[in-house]
Amino acid sequence: MKTVSTARSHGGVQGVYSHTSKTCQCDMTFAVFVPPQAAGGPCPVLWYLSGLTCTHANVMDKGEYRRMAAELGMIVVCPDTSPRGDDVPDEADNWQFGKGAGFYVDATQEPFAKNYRMYSYVTEELPALIAENFPADMDRQGIFGHSMGGHGALTIALKNPDRFRSCSAFAPIVEPSTAGWSKPALEKYLGTDEAAWRGHDACALVADGARFPEFLIDQGTADSFLDEGLRPWLFEEACQRAGIPLTLNMREGYDHSYFFISTFMDDHLAWHAKRLAAGYPESRAS
């Protein structure tokens, strides 16, 4: 692991790091904020997964999470959204696929299967790197994200309920297998057999029996992608059928941008901090 940069912020340290990923077979960059409480021992870890066209830098520069993360004593990890490099296959004229649009899946189709292994990268390789190099309490992990990253957070939590104690999302793609802007990507990454997509579709995972203690979703009513790609009501219906508690906040007048995300970032951090507190799984405090 190489240190790209570090900066003091709210008593903690915001760092950017790079490493050669064996999973994605390319160099990857990620950001980590370590709060001041880490000087006294390991801190809980909150993963933030970014959306289409983003890198680790979008939320780091515009998400406004450091003040609250420092107050609450949480490490915040911000991975990239896809493999990078000149040798990584891409569709440069398609912002919904390729670099910046890994969809947090492990691709099975050529030529993408070699590099586009973001699910394994986020759930296996990068957590091991974080555990080795940062004062992280890996027994207390939460995950959240935006848009494509919200899709990633929901699906990863549903597939790993023993690892993550909390999960939330900003404007997530809840059913990518039927959304016009994500269905083509799943086909290119995973093939034409739609049964293979179900493991990377939050609504399908719930329908197929996956469970998680509860979810929090914030969605702007003025989001231009709401009806075409996001459709949080589908996940609400799936959770209702499965008996999974879901808090869905429809935020009047907010769009899909980081103006929206930064407005409600503190709410999500506080929500996660409560669920990552010692003893919370036993007490299940509201």
Side-chain angles (χ1 to χ4, degrees), residues 55-97:
T55 70
H56 68 281
N58 294 75
V59 69
M60 185 181 72
D61 294 344
K62 297 182 287 187
E64 301 181 17
Y65 58 82
R66 278 172 289 271
R67 181 192 61 80
M68 183 59 79
E71 179 180 323
L72 297 171
M74 291 194 297
I75 292 173
V76 180
V77 181
C78 309
D80 201 348
T81 55
S82 74
R84 303 286 174 174
D86 294 339
D87 295 331
V88 174
D90 186 28
E91 291 184 4
D93 59 348
N94 183 2
W95 64 275
Q96 298 171 335
F97 184 76

Short mmCIF file of all heavy atoms in Angstrom, two decimals, residues 55-97:
data_model
loop_
_atom_site.label_atom_id
_atom_site.label_comp_id
_atom_site.label_asym_id
_atom_site.label_seq_id
_atom_site.Cartn_x
_atom_site.Cartn_y
_atom_site.Cartn_z
N THR A 55 -15.33 8.35 -8.51
CA THR A 55 -14.19 7.65 -7.93
C THR A 55 -14.29 7.80 -6.42
O THR A 55 -15.31 8.29 -5.90
CB THR A 55 -12.85 8.26 -8.41
OG1 THR A 55 -12.70 9.57 -7.83
CG2 THR A 55 -12.81 8.36 -9.93
N HIS A 56 -13.23 7.44 -5.71
CA HIS A 56 -13.19 7.66 -4.26
C HIS A 56 -13.31 9.14 -3.92
O HIS A 56 -13.71 9.51 -2.81
CB HIS A 56 -11.86 7.14 -3.72
CG HIS A 56 -10.69 7.96 -4.19
ND1 HIS A 56 -10.15 7.83 -5.46
CD2 HIS A 56 -10.00 8.97 -3.60
CE1 HIS A 56 -9.17 8.69 -5.61
NE2 HIS A 56 -9.06 9.40 -4.51
N ALA A 57 -12.94 10.01 -4.87
CA ALA A 57 -12.78 11.44 -4.56
C ALA A 57 -14.10 12.18 -4.44
O ALA A 57 -14.16 13.22 -3.77
CB ALA A 57 -11.91 12.10 -5.63
N ASN A 58 -15.16 11.71 -5.07
CA ASN A 58 -16.41 12.48 -5.08
C ASN A 58 -16.95 12.70 -3.69
O ASN A 58 -17.24 13.83 -3.27
CB ASN A 58 -17.45 11.79 -5.97
CG ASN A 58 -17.05 11.80 -7.42
OD1 ASN A 58 -16.16 11.03 -7.81
ND2 ASN A 58 -17.66 12.64 -8.23
N VAL A 59 -17.12 11.63 -2.93
CA VAL A 59 -17.65 11.80 -1.58
C VAL A 59 -16.60 12.43 -0.67
O VAL A 59 -16.94 13.19 0.25
CB VAL A 59 -18.14 10.45 -1.01
CG1 VAL A 59 -16.98 9.49 -0.74
CG2 VAL A 59 -18.97 10.68 0.24
N MET A 60 -15.33 12.14 -0.90
CA MET A 60 -14.28 12.73 -0.08
C MET A 60 -14.28 14.25 -0.21
O MET A 60 -14.10 14.98 0.77
CB MET A 60 -12.92 12.15 -0.49
CG MET A 60 -11.76 12.62 0.37
SD MET A 60 -10.17 11.95 -0.14
CE MET A 60 -9.89 12.86 -1.67
N ASP A 61 -14.51 14.74 -1.43
CA ASP A 61 -14.46 16.18 -1.67
C ASP A 61 -15.79 16.88 -1.41
O ASP A 61 -15.80 18.06 -1.05
CB ASP A 61 -14.04 16.45 -3.12
CG ASP A 61 -12.62 16.01 -3.42
OD1 ASP A 61 -11.85 15.79 -2.46
OD2 ASP A 61 -12.27 15.87 -4.61
N LYS A 62 -16.92 16.15 -1.59
CA LYS A 62 -18.22 16.82 -1.53
C LYS A 62 -19.20 16.21 -0.54
O LYS A 62 -20.29 16.75 -0.35
CB LYS A 62 -18.86 16.80 -2.94
CG LYS A 62 -18.05 17.56 -3.98
CD LYS A 62 -18.73 17.56 -5.33
CE LYS A 62 -18.65 16.22 -6.02
NZ LYS A 62 -19.18 16.27 -7.42
N GLY A 63 -18.84 15.12 0.11
CA GLY A 63 -19.78 14.42 0.96
C GLY A 63 -19.95 14.99 2.36
O GLY A 63 -20.92 14.70 3.04
N GLU A 64 -18.97 15.78 2.81
CA GLU A 64 -19.06 16.47 4.10
C GLU A 64 -19.32 15.50 5.26
O GLU A 64 -20.17 15.73 6.11
CB GLU A 64 -20.12 17.57 4.05
CG GLU A 64 -19.85 18.61 2.97
CD GLU A 64 -20.91 19.71 2.93
OE1 GLU A 64 -21.67 19.87 3.91
OE2 GLU A 64 -20.98 20.41 1.90
N TYR A 65 -18.54 14.42 5.31
CA TYR A 65 -18.73 13.41 6.35
C TYR A 65 -17.75 13.51 7.50
O TYR A 65 -17.96 12.92 8.57
CB TYR A 65 -18.63 12.00 5.75
CG TYR A 65 -17.32 11.71 5.06
CD1 TYR A 65 -16.18 11.33 5.76
CD2 TYR A 65 -17.21 11.82 3.67
CE1 TYR A 65 -14.99 11.07 5.12
CE2 TYR A 65 -16.02 11.56 3.02
CZ TYR A 65 -14.91 11.19 3.75
OH TYR A 65 -13.72 10.94 3.11
N ARG A 66 -16.64 14.23 7.35
CA ARG A 66 -15.55 14.15 8.31
C ARG A 66 -15.90 14.72 9.68
O ARG A 66 -15.52 14.15 10.71
CB ARG A 66 -14.30 14.84 7.75
CG ARG A 66 -13.51 13.95 6.80
CD ARG A 66 -12.39 14.72 6.11
NE ARG A 66 -12.94 15.66 5.15
CZ ARG A 66 -13.19 15.35 3.87
NH1 ARG A 66 -12.93 14.14 3.43
NH2 ARG A 66 -13.69 16.25 3.06
N ARG A 67 -16.60 15.85 9.74
CA ARG A 67 -16.91 16.44 11.05
C ARG A 67 -17.71 15.46 11.90
O ARG A 67 -17.38 15.22 13.06
CB ARG A 67 -17.69 17.75 10.87
CG ARG A 67 -18.01 18.44 12.21
CD ARG A 67 -19.02 19.56 12.03
NE ARG A 67 -20.28 19.07 11.49
CZ ARG A 67 -21.21 18.49 12.23
NH1 ARG A 67 -21.03 18.28 13.52
NH2 ARG A 67 -22.35 18.08 11.67
N MET A 68 -18.76 14.88 11.34
CA MET A 68 -19.60 13.96 12.11
C MET A 68 -18.88 12.65 12.38
O MET A 68 -19.01 12.08 13.46
CB MET A 68 -20.91 13.71 11.37
CG MET A 68 -21.88 12.82 12.13
SD MET A 68 -22.36 13.46 13.75
CE MET A 68 -23.60 14.67 13.28
N ALA A 69 -18.11 12.16 11.40
CA ALA A 69 -17.35 10.92 11.63
C ALA A 69 -16.34 11.10 12.75
O ALA A 69 -16.12 10.20 13.55
CB ALA A 69 -16.66 10.49 10.34
N ALA A 70 -15.73 12.30 12.83
CA ALA A 70 -14.79 12.58 13.91
C ALA A 70 -15.51 12.66 15.25
O ALA A 70 -15.03 12.18 16.27
CB ALA A 70 -14.06 13.89 13.63
N GLU A 71 -16.68 13.25 15.25
CA GLU A 71 -17.46 13.36 16.48
C GLU A 71 -17.90 11.99 16.98
O GLU A 71 -17.88 11.72 18.19
CB GLU A 71 -18.68 14.24 16.24
CG GLU A 71 -19.60 14.41 17.44
CD GLU A 71 -20.78 15.30 17.15
OE1 GLU A 71 -20.61 16.30 16.40
OE2 GLU A 71 -21.89 15.01 17.66
N LEU A 72 -18.27 11.12 16.06
CA LEU A 72 -18.81 9.82 16.42
C LEU A 72 -17.74 8.74 16.54
O LEU A 72 -18.02 7.63 17.02
CB LEU A 72 -19.84 9.37 15.37
CG LEU A 72 -21.08 10.26 15.26
CD1 LEU A 72 -21.92 9.86 14.05
CD2 LEU A 72 -21.91 10.21 16.53
N GLY A 73 -16.53 9.03 16.08
CA GLY A 73 -15.44 8.06 16.20
C GLY A 73 -15.52 6.92 15.20
O GLY A 73 -15.29 5.76 15.58
N MET A 74 -15.82 7.23 13.94
CA MET A 74 -15.95 6.18 12.92
C MET A 74 -14.92 6.36 11.82
O MET A 74 -14.70 7.46 11.32
CB MET A 74 -17.36 6.22 12.31
CG MET A 74 -18.45 5.79 13.25
SD MET A 74 -20.00 5.45 12.37
CE MET A 74 -20.36 7.07 11.72
N ILE A 75 -14.30 5.26 11.43
CA ILE A 75 -13.47 5.23 10.24
C ILE A 75 -14.39 5.15 9.02
O ILE A 75 -15.33 4.35 9.00
CB ILE A 75 -12.52 4.03 10.26
CG1 ILE A 75 -11.47 4.20 11.37
CG2 ILE A 75 -11.84 3.81 8.91
CD1 ILE A 75 -10.60 2.96 11.58
N VAL A 76 -14.14 5.98 8.01
CA VAL A 76 -14.94 5.95 6.78
C VAL A 76 -14.02 5.57 5.63
O VAL A 76 -13.02 6.24 5.37
CB VAL A 76 -15.61 7.31 6.50
CG1 VAL A 76 -16.41 7.25 5.21
CG2 VAL A 76 -16.51 7.72 7.67
N VAL A 77 -14.37 4.47 4.94
CA VAL A 77 -13.58 3.97 3.82
C VAL A 77 -14.35 4.21 2.53
O VAL A 77 -15.53 3.86 2.43
CB VAL A 77 -13.29 2.46 3.97
CG1 VAL A 77 -12.46 1.95 2.80
CG2 VAL A 77 -12.59 2.17 5.29
N CYS A 78 -13.67 4.80 1.54
CA CYS A 78 -14.30 5.14 0.26
C CYS A 78 -13.53 4.47 -0.88
O CYS A 78 -12.52 5.01 -1.34
CB CYS A 78 -14.30 6.66 0.06
SG CYS A 78 -14.97 7.60 1.45
N PRO A 79 -13.97 3.30 -1.33
CA PRO A 79 -13.30 2.65 -2.46
C PRO A 79 -13.61 3.35 -3.79
O PRO A 79 -14.51 4.19 -3.87
CB PRO A 79 -13.92 1.24 -2.46
CG PRO A 79 -14.67 1.12 -1.18
CD PRO A 79 -15.06 2.51 -0.79
N ASP A 80 -12.88 2.96 -4.81
CA ASP A 80 -13.21 3.38 -6.18
C ASP A 80 -14.41 2.56 -6.65
O ASP A 80 -14.84 1.61 -6.01
CB ASP A 80 -12.00 3.17 -7.09
CG ASP A 80 -12.06 4.03 -8.35
OD1 ASP A 80 -13.12 4.62 -8.64
OD2 ASP A 80 -11.04 4.10 -9.06
N THR A 81 -14.94 2.94 -7.81
CA THR A 81 -16.14 2.30 -8.34
C THR A 81 -15.87 1.23 -9.39
O THR A 81 -16.80 0.54 -9.82
CB THR A 81 -17.08 3.35 -8.95
OG1 THR A 81 -16.34 4.10 -9.93
CG2 THR A 81 -17.60 4.30 -7.89
N SER A 82 -14.63 1.11 -9.84
CA SER A 82 -14.31 0.16 -10.90
C SER A 82 -12.81 -0.01 -10.99
O SER A 82 -12.05 0.78 -10.42
CB SER A 82 -14.86 0.65 -12.25
OG SER A 82 -14.06 1.72 -12.75
N PRO A 83 -12.34 -1.00 -11.73
CA PRO A 83 -10.92 -1.09 -12.02
C PRO A 83 -10.49 0.08 -12.90
O PRO A 83 -11.31 0.71 -13.56
CB PRO A 83 -10.78 -2.43 -12.76
CG PRO A 83 -12.14 -2.69 -13.33
CD PRO A 83 -13.11 -2.10 -12.36
N ARG A 84 -9.20 0.35 -12.90
CA ARG A 84 -8.66 1.49 -13.65
C ARG A 84 -7.40 1.08 -14.41
O ARG A 84 -6.72 0.13 -14.04
CB ARG A 84 -8.31 2.64 -12.70
CG ARG A 84 -9.46 3.14 -11.84
CD ARG A 84 -10.46 3.96 -12.62
NE ARG A 84 -11.63 4.30 -11.78
CZ ARG A 84 -12.60 5.12 -12.17
NH1 ARG A 84 -12.56 5.67 -13.38
NH2 ARG A 84 -13.62 5.36 -11.37
N GLY A 85 -7.09 1.83 -15.46
CA GLY A 85 -5.85 1.61 -16.20
C GLY A 85 -6.09 1.46 -17.68
O GLY A 85 -7.19 1.13 -18.13
N ASP A 86 -5.04 1.72 -18.45
CA ASP A 86 -5.13 1.68 -19.91
C ASP A 86 -5.47 0.29 -20.44
O ASP A 86 -6.05 0.16 -21.52
CB ASP A 86 -3.81 2.15 -20.53
CG ASP A 86 -3.53 3.62 -20.25
OD1 ASP A 86 -4.50 4.36 -19.95
OD2 ASP A 86 -2.35 4.03 -20.32
N ASP A 87 -5.13 -0.75 -19.68
CA ASP A 87 -5.36 -2.11 -20.15
C ASP A 87 -6.72 -2.66 -19.73
O ASP A 87 -7.07 -3.79 -20.10
CB ASP A 87 -4.26 -3.04 -19.60
CG ASP A 87 -2.89 -2.69 -20.16
OD1 ASP A 87 -2.82 -2.17 -21.29
OD2 ASP A 87 -1.89 -2.93 -19.45
N VAL A 88 -7.48 -1.88 -18.99
CA VAL A 88 -8.80 -2.33 -18.54
C VAL A 88 -9.83 -2.06 -19.63
O VAL A 88 -9.94 -0.94 -20.11
CB VAL A 88 -9.20 -1.61 -17.24
CG1 VAL A 88 -10.64 -1.94 -16.84
CG2 VAL A 88 -8.24 -1.97 -16.11
N PRO A 89 -10.58 -3.07 -20.07
CA PRO A 89 -11.58 -2.85 -21.13
C PRO A 89 -12.64 -1.85 -20.67
O PRO A 89 -13.03 -1.82 -19.51
CB PRO A 89 -12.18 -4.24 -21.35
CG PRO A 89 -11.86 -5.01 -20.12
CD PRO A 89 -10.57 -4.47 -19.61
N ASP A 90 -13.11 -1.06 -21.63
CA ASP A 90 -14.00 0.04 -21.29
C ASP A 90 -14.87 0.38 -22.49
O ASP A 90 -14.60 -0.07 -23.62
CB ASP A 90 -13.15 1.26 -20.89
CG ASP A 90 -13.96 2.42 -20.37
OD1 ASP A 90 -15.05 2.19 -19.82
OD2 ASP A 90 -13.50 3.57 -20.50
N GLU A 91 -15.93 1.13 -22.25
CA GLU A 91 -16.71 1.76 -23.31
C GLU A 91 -16.70 3.25 -23.03
O GLU A 91 -17.51 3.76 -22.25
CB GLU A 91 -18.14 1.22 -23.34
CG GLU A 91 -18.23 -0.23 -23.80
CD GLU A 91 -19.66 -0.72 -23.93
OE1 GLU A 91 -20.60 0.08 -23.73
OE2 GLU A 91 -19.84 -1.92 -24.25
N ALA A 92 -15.74 3.93 -23.62
CA ALA A 92 -15.47 5.31 -23.26
C ALA A 92 -16.65 6.24 -23.49
O ALA A 92 -16.77 7.28 -22.82
CB ALA A 92 -14.25 5.81 -24.05
N ASP A 93 -17.53 5.90 -24.41
CA ASP A 93 -18.67 6.76 -24.71
C ASP A 93 -19.93 6.34 -23.96
O ASP A 93 -21.03 6.84 -24.25
CB ASP A 93 -18.95 6.78 -26.21
CG ASP A 93 -19.23 5.39 -26.78
OD1 ASP A 93 -18.99 4.40 -26.05
OD2 ASP A 93 -19.68 5.30 -27.93
N ASN A 94 -19.80 5.44 -22.99
CA ASN A 94 -20.96 4.94 -22.25
C ASN A 94 -20.72 5.14 -20.76
O ASN A 94 -19.99 4.37 -20.13
CB ASN A 94 -21.18 3.45 -22.57
CG ASN A 94 -22.42 2.88 -21.89
OD1 ASN A 94 -23.15 3.59 -21.20
ND2 ASN A 94 -22.65 1.60 -22.08
N TRP A 95 -21.35 6.16 -20.17
CA TRP A 95 -21.12 6.46 -18.76
C TRP A 95 -21.78 5.46 -17.82
O TRP A 95 -21.49 5.44 -16.62
CB TRP A 95 -21.60 7.88 -18.42
CG TRP A 95 -23.08 8.11 -18.58
CD1 TRP A 95 -23.75 8.44 -19.72
CD2 TRP A 95 -24.08 8.03 -17.55
NE1 TRP A 95 -25.10 8.57 -19.47
CE2 TRP A 95 -25.32 8.35 -18.14
CE3 TRP A 95 -24.04 7.75 -16.19
CZ2 TRP A 95 -26.52 8.36 -17.43
CZ3 TRP A 95 -25.23 7.77 -15.47
CH2 TRP A 95 -26.44 8.08 -16.09
N GLN A 96 -22.62 4.60 -18.36
CA GLN A 96 -23.32 3.62 -17.55
C GLN A 96 -22.65 2.25 -17.55
O GLN A 96 -23.21 1.27 -17.06
CB GLN A 96 -24.77 3.48 -18.03
CG GLN A 96 -25.56 4.76 -17.89
CD GLN A 96 -26.92 4.68 -18.57
OE1 GLN A 96 -27.12 3.90 -19.50
NE2 GLN A 96 -27.86 5.49 -18.11
N PHE A 97 -21.43 2.19 -18.09
CA PHE A 97 -20.74 0.91 -18.19
C PHE A 97 -19.24 1.13 -18.23
O PHE A 97 -18.75 2.15 -18.72
CB PHE A 97 -21.19 0.16 -19.44
CG PHE A 97 -20.60 -1.22 -19.55
CD1 PHE A 97 -21.09 -2.26 -18.77
CD2 PHE A 97 -19.54 -1.48 -20.40
CE1 PHE A 97 -20.54 -3.52 -18.84
CE2 PHE A 97 -18.98 -2.74 -20.49
CZ PHE A 97 -19.49 -3.78 -19.71
#
